[in-house]
Amino acid sequence: MRSVWIASPLAILADAPGGIVLRGGRIAELLTPGQRPSQPVEEVFDASQHVVLPGLVNTHHHFYQTLTRAHPDAINKKLFDWLMALYPVWARLTPEAMRLATRLALTELLMSGVTTTSDHHYLFPGGLDDAMDIQVDEARRLGIRMTVTRGSMNLSLKDGGLPPDSVVQDEDTILADCERVIGAYHERGEGATIQIALAPCSPFSVTKSLMRACGALAEKHDCRLHTHLAETHDEDAFCRAMFGMSPLDYLEDVGWLNDRTWLAHGIHFSDGDVTRLGRHGVGVCHCPTSNMVLASGQCRTRELEAAGAPVGLGVDGSASNDSSNLMEGVRHALMINRLTYDASVTHLDALRWATQGSARCLGRGDIGEIAVGKQADFALFKLDELRFSGAGDPLAALVLCGAHRADRVMVAGHWRVVDGMPDGIDIARLRAAHGAAAKRFL
């Protein structure tokens, strides 16, 4: 792999004003002003017009939902009503539509500065048995790191759950495919490109038996666990009515209260819940945009971090966001957390959640930070748009002035976005094909 010197950045989220030297896909040196690399490099990139961040890490998404953004049946609804409106629509998902939705979401994420993402796919209508294979294929094609979560639902309307019968699977089918996907794709160790996590959807769409079985599989194969939890008051009421316990007690009852687990949303936790989450190292993905769109509530980020729980960021599904732009989500995180707490929540807090915090949620210590030995994953932004004119602090300007599109993105030492455009993707063609597919869901 080529050695690269990203030289003299306008600003950088690290103590490296002279730039970064990359060798073998890792960070080899952080330079002081005027310092040069200790050994010759093959490429020098002048970053004097760029603000350099660690590659952003998205810890919760639903790629397939790009096909139903601002859907007329679902706008202006809270979570349960929103789900009930869209489940019958999503039941029409096909492999071809799934591929286009995945490609579009990954492309959007890359263009916003994301170098590692996860996706929570739990919808398996007939004919979509290869959903995980499609996602791995598309992630490899774009050169982005991905934690592919083999999601699942087995508690349908007839069983007292929310989803229709046509999109759920039985437990044996789910567990067999979990084993298959882990065996085919799960990479362990530093520098992993594709990792697998197991992700039963939520307490209102899966059985306790499935939750426990997935927990056992994750321990057996050393992979992570993910689910939605404590997103709304309705979910709390459902758990108490269906299982006779709170969402967090449910999590402990099925054996998931451990540092293998990260949760989506994690809004409605008591003080005692927060203490327990921190004690056990359970991560929480804060989804500020969708939480505001669905009026679900405000994540207790400050208390969770103080308790020791990793806090990351996620865009969430593109039918509740309705975009796949994590840099936009960083700004939303800053704003909603200032409203929740006060102005002492800073742009650096929001950037930390989108980088180091998200990496911790995914169980990774090799990404999310610009430091020697870490993976060479970066997002570079220019401040040449009108929105940035007059900005004094470049790092703060990215968040406060609303940066949403990276000029360059590097993953594992390779440029994946150059001059704002993703390598190997015809944007106009993708937009046309995805748009045509989305019309079938109206």
Side-chain angles (χ1 to χ4, degrees), residues 395-414:
L395 280 168
L398 287 183
V399 184
L400 294 172
C401 302
H404 63 273
R405 185 165 176 173
D407 181 65
R408 289 218 169 205
V409 176
M410 175 180 280
V411 184
H414 298 283

Side-chain angles (χ1 to χ4, degrees), residues 146-222:
M146 185 170 173
T147 296
V148 180
T149 74
R150 204 306 179 178
S152 52
M153 297 191 294
N154 72 332
L155 190 69
S156 66
L157 278 169
K158 66 177 173 54
D159 307 308
L162 287 188
D165 297 344
S166 61
V167 299
V168 305
Q169 297 174 305
D170 65 76
E171 183 172 319
D172 289 343
T173 299
I174 291 165
L175 296 177
D177 198 55
C178 288
E179 292 262 22
R180 179 190 70 83
V181 172
I182 291 170
Y185 301 119
H186 186 50
E187 301 172 19
R188 297 169 179 82
E190 293 189 3
T193 301
I194 301 294
Q195 294 192 319
I196 303 299
L198 303 183
C201 181
S202 61
F204 46 83
S205 60
V206 300
T207 61
K208 280 188 175 183
S209 174
L210 179 61
M211 290 287 287
R212 291 187 178 113
C214 284
L217 272 184
E219 186 171 358
K220 174 183 175 182
H221 295 290
D222 190 25

Side-chain angles (χ1 to χ4, degrees), residues 174-412:
I174 291 165
L175 296 177
D177 198 55
C178 288
E179 292 262 22
R180 179 190 70 83
V181 172
I182 291 170
Y185 301 119
H186 186 50
E187 301 172 19
R188 297 169 179 82
E190 293 189 3
T193 301
I194 301 294
Q195 294 192 319
I196 303 299
L198 303 183
C201 181
S202 61
F204 46 83
S205 60
V206 300
T207 61
K208 280 188 175 183
S209 174
L210 179 61
M211 290 287 287
R212 291 187 178 113
C214 284
L217 272 184
E219 186 171 358
K220 174 183 175 182
H221 295 290
D222 190 25
C223 64
R224 295 187 74 73
L225 294 164
H226 184 52
T227 192
H228 298 92
L229 201 78
E231 182 176 359
T232 66
H233 289 300
D234 288 342
E235 179 192 320
D236 183 80
F238 180 94
C239 281
R240 292 182 188 278
M242 187 78 174
F243 305 115
M245 60 186 73
S246 71
L248 192 63
D249 287 338
Y250 169 88
L251 196 75
E252 183 169 28
D253 187 61
V254 297
W256 278 46
L257 197 61
N258 57 63
D259 61 6
R260 211 179 277 285
T261 301
W262 90 99
L263 307 171
H265 301 285
I267 297 170
H268 299 288
F269 287 130
S270 68
D271 290 347
D273 291 341
V274 168
T275 299
R276 288 164 69 192
L277 289 164
R279 184 189 313 128
H280 294 283
V282 178
V284 174
C285 172
H286 177 30
C287 302
T289 308
S290 69
N291 291 350
M292 289 188 283
V293 168
L294 295 174
S296 298
Q298 294 159 247
C299 181
R300 302 181 66 185
T301 54
R302 183 167 278 181
E303 292 90 345
L304 285 163
E305 281 196 307
V311 173
L313 280 191
V315 299
D316 200 10
S318 291
S320 65
N321 182 301
D322 290 53
S323 78
S324 300
N325 191 314
L326 191 58
M327 197 63 208
E328 180 183 70
V330 170
R331 187 170 192 261
H332 290 166
L334 174 68
M335 301 305 179
I336 190 63
N337 279 275
R338 284 193 171 179
L339 186 61
T340 303
Y341 300 107
D342 53 42
S344 65
V345 179
T346 74
H347 63 286
L348 297 176
D349 292 320
L351 289 169
R352 182 183 68 256
W353 296 329
T355 53
Q356 287 178 291
S358 284
R360 287 185 65 200
C361 282
L362 297 183
R364 300 196 64 156
D366 59 336
I367 59 173
E369 184 181 3
I370 298 176
V372 172
K374 304 292 184 180
Q375 295 295 304
D377 296 359
F378 308 103
L380 284 68
F381 295 82
K382 282 188 172 182
L383 303 183
D384 55 358
E385 298 176 67
L386 292 178
R387 73 180 69 221
F388 299 114
S389 185
D393 183 321
L395 280 168
L398 287 183
V399 184
L400 294 172
C401 302
H404 63 273
R405 185 165 176 173
D407 181 65
R408 289 218 169 205
V409 176
M410 175 180 280
V411 184

Side-chain angles (χ1 to χ4, degrees), residues 4-22:
V4 182
W5 177 17
I6 299 176
S8 306
L10 175 65
I12 183 170
L13 193 62
D15 186 15
I20 319 160
V21 180
L22 321 172

